[in-house]
Amino acid sequence: MHELQIGGRRAFRIDMARIFHLLSAGLLTIALGGCETVAGSVAVVDDAGTTVTISEPGDVKYYPSDEPLRLGEEYFNRGIYGTAEKYFQSAVEKAPKDVSAWIGLAASYDRLGRFDLADHAYGQAIKLGGETTQILNNLGYSYMLRGKLTAARTKFMEAYRREPDNPTVLNNINLLNSSYRFIERELPPQ
């Protein structure tokens, strides 16, 4: 600050740039105060701002974002299976024990015609969560896409026995039944 004389009275001229810098530094200090890192440790301040707890990096739990799974489902539902596959792949990399992510990845591979990769992803989902109705239904649909209609019917019927009122399973059985009606071939002359 600088002292000035104005009409016989003392006044102070304020250096605005200096005040701006001081205020900016203060706000930055407040903003970063709750996530200060100290020599590889993490300092956590409670909500009241009274207690600081120091945690070692190995002690801090990381919860992966559900964003890749959510985006995978969104793109799958839009029919953009290649992009859905990328997001589901990211989801299983972040959370390898997430059954939903494995099922989504397998279904994306089915739609892309990568049945070898779909089989692997379904296998991982079964290891983690067992043969659920959803997995049996999806396997049936996968076999139907491959043209393995008998194997598809077997999986759909296993899913149906578990949940006879499941609308998705019922719809897929009807879809399979209707596919049989449209296959008409002439028999070769004998």
Side-chain angles (χ1 to χ4, degrees):
M1 286 193 259
H2 301 288
E3 188 176 322
L4 296 174
Q5 288 282 349
I6 300 177
R9 300 172 84 187
R10 270 201 216 159
F12 293 95
R13 187 180 72 154
I14 300 172
D15 185 0
M16 292 304 287
R18 189 172 185 191
I19 289 176
F20 177 75
H21 285 100
L22 288 172
L23 285 174
S24 297
L27 290 173
L28 185 59
T29 302
I30 291 169
L32 294 176
C35 58
E36 179 182 339
T37 302
V38 181
S41 298
V42 177
V44 180
V45 181
D46 70 356
D47 291 337
T50 57
T51 308
V52 176
T53 307
I54 306 293
S55 299
E56 293 302 315
D59 296 339
V60 177
K61 297 212 184 313
Y62 172 70
Y63 297 100
S65 169
D66 282 343
E67 192 70 6
L69 180 64
R70 187 189 65 75
L71 288 169
E73 290 170 347
E74 182 178 323
Y75 280 100
F76 188 88
N77 290 333
R78 288 184 187 178
I80 307 171
Y81 304 115
T83 304
E85 178 270 329
K86 288 178 183 162
Y87 281 113
F88 284 126
Q89 182 64 44
S90 176
V92 299
E93 288 170 1
K94 286 180 175 52
K97 293 184 179 181
D98 186 344
V99 177
S100 296
W102 282 107
I103 292 171
L105 182 61
S108 297
Y109 284 142
D110 278 337
R111 294 301 183 111
L112 294 171
R114 293 300 314 267
F115 302 118
D116 55 330
L117 296 174
D119 287 342
H120 172 73
Y122 284 126
Q124 290 298 113
I126 291 169
K127 280 182 192 176
L128 294 169
E131 279 192 332
T132 63
T133 303
Q134 181 185 14
I135 291 175
L136 290 169
N137 178 68
N138 283 19
L139 279 168
Y141 197 85
S142 179
Y143 290 137
M144 192 168 62
L145 289 174
R146 302 174 201 199
K148 297 180 177 181
L149 303 182
T150 304
R153 180 169 301 284
T154 301
K155 292 300 179 184
F156 287 146
M157 294 313 294
E158 285 180 51
Y160 176 77
R161 280 191 286 283
R162 290 174 181 228
E163 291 183 34
D165 295 328
N166 185 313
T168 305
V169 174
L170 292 171
N171 187 45
N172 285 337
I173 291 171
N174 288 332
L175 183 64
L176 180 65
N177 289 339
S178 68
S179 70
Y180 276 123
R181 281 188 243 139
F182 292 110
I183 298 175
E184 294 182 21
R185 296 188 180 105
E186 288 186 29
L187 295 174
Q190 295 186 14

